[in-house]
Amino acid sequence: MIDLIKRTMLTGLGLAVMTKDKVEELGRDLAEQAKLGESEGREFVDNLMKQSETARNEFETRVNALVKKAVEGLNLVHKDEVAKLQGRIDALEDELKKHEHASSHHAAASHHGV
């Protein structure tokens, strides 16, 4: 019966979305219901905790991959690219100001007959 319950829980999101405390509590409850001895019960809970961590990591990996794929599909610009473009804009603005200042200074000098 315990094996059936374990397999059933592990087939879905079950252990991946449960908190560690809930997994431990569930393991203790199942061990009591199955009338496992203390060492068997502890081993069962430990095994359930390890499976929970594995399920959680696999779930997180899958979700991250799906999110990454979805974001890439949106064709969004990365913040590093925006920062790089902003730097280029700032440099061009500085260069433009230098040319404007030089032109206005040159125009003022020729206007005064210098």
Side-chain angles (χ1 to χ4, degrees), residues 84-102:
K84 185 177 177 181
L85 288 172
Q86 185 62 53
R88 289 180 63 192
I89 291 169
D90 291 345
L92 288 170
E93 285 177 339
D94 289 345
E95 193 66 29
L96 183 60
K97 286 177 187 175
K98 287 179 190 174
H99 286 292
E100 287 174 348
H101 181 69

Side-chain angles (χ1 to χ4, degrees), residues 1 8 12 17 29-30 42 52-53 58 61-62 81 83 89 91 93 95-96 98 103-104 113:
M1 179 177 163
T8 302
V17 296
D29 289 348
L30 290 173
R42 195 173 323 115
S52 170
E53 187 64 31
E58 289 173 2
T61 300
R62 287 182 183 161
E81 293 170 354
I89 291 169
E93 285 177 339
E95 193 66 29
L96 183 60
K98 287 179 190 174
S103 310
S104 65

Side-chain angles (χ1 to χ4, degrees), residues 15-61:
L15 288 177
V17 296
M18 292 177 75
T19 64
K20 289 181 180 182
D21 290 341
K22 287 291 183 187
V23 172
E24 194 171 357
E25 181 182 329
L26 174 67
R28 283 195 306 263
D29 289 348
L30 290 173
E32 280 179 30
Q33 289 175 18
K35 300 194 186 327
L36 296 178
E38 187 176 330
S39 64
E40 288 174 312
R42 195 173 323 115
E43 183 179 331
F44 174 73
V45 170
D46 289 344
N47 187 22
L48 202 56
M49 294 293 285
K50 287 176 189 168
Q51 290 178 354
S52 170
E53 187 64 31
T54 299
R56 189 175 294 111
N57 290 338
E58 289 173 2
F59 179 71
E60 185 177 330
T61 300

